Amino acid sequence: MRLLAVREEPLSVDEVFRAVGDDAAGGTALFVGTVRDHDGHPSGAAVTALEYSAHPGAEEALRTVAGKVAADFPVRALAAVHRTGTLAVGDLAVVVAVSCPHRAEAFAACRRLIDDLKREVPIWKRQTFDDGTEDWVGACG
């Protein structure tokens, strides 16, 4: 686990990709989550902004999730960064990457990392819509 963070600063795909570089890895999988302009609002209203908030224990929860992924897959390196604060449509919200000896393992580990992060790390988002409404969404169960 080379890079794990929950932070307000803009995210960098290059930073995360560099963090998982490993000469013994034959496959690196990377996932980038961006703020989209819709989220199934009943009226069809468009998303204009998101605000992410994190529990003070979010980084520790992220470390736990990452540790489980590293224990279940032949991970050479792993990185995950989630943004907090106010984001605009198109901004990077989360970037995760995993390098493994082979591509299939890298894909599977990366998918598990993002899925478990979204389910288990206490990060919430407040969506603002162009009709003036807002909605809080829990990013973890």
Side-chain angles (χ1 to χ4, degrees):
M1 295 181 283
R2 296 193 180 152
L3 172 63
L4 298 173
V6 176
R7 61 184 182 208
E8 272 197 54
E9 297 79 28
L11 305 183
S12 164
V13 171
D14 290 337
E15 175 192 24
V16 174
F17 182 70
R18 280 192 307 272
V20 297
D22 190 288
D23 289 344
T28 299
L30 184 115
F31 173 81
V32 179
T34 57
V35 177
R36 64 180 177 258
D37 67 357
H38 67 282
D39 196 25
H41 192 280
S43 74
V47 172
T48 57
L50 292 182
E51 180 184 349
Y52 281 101
S53 300
H55 184 276
E59 280 195 17
E60 185 57 36
L62 178 56
R63 185 166 305 286
T64 299
V65 164
K68 289 177 184 176
V69 171
D72 290 346
F73 294 90
V75 170
R76 300 295 305 168
L78 178 149
V81 184
H82 201 296
R83 181 107 184 258
T84 58
T86 302
L87 285 71
V89 171
D91 284 349
L92 304 183
V94 60
V95 182
V96 302
V98 178
S99 61
C100 292
H102 303 284
R103 71 177 175 272
E105 300 157 342
F107 279 128
C110 188
R111 180 176 188 111
R112 167 90 170 279
L113 178 59
I114 188 59
D115 288 350
D116 289 358
L117 183 159
K118 295 306 263 182
R119 185 174 44 256
E120 298 178 28
V121 178
I123 297 172
W124 307 275
K125 67 180 174 182
R126 179 176 59 121
Q127 302 178 116
T128 303
F129 297 94
D130 65 359
D131 67 357
T133 61
E134 297 179 343
D135 185 30
W136 281 93
V137 179
C140 64

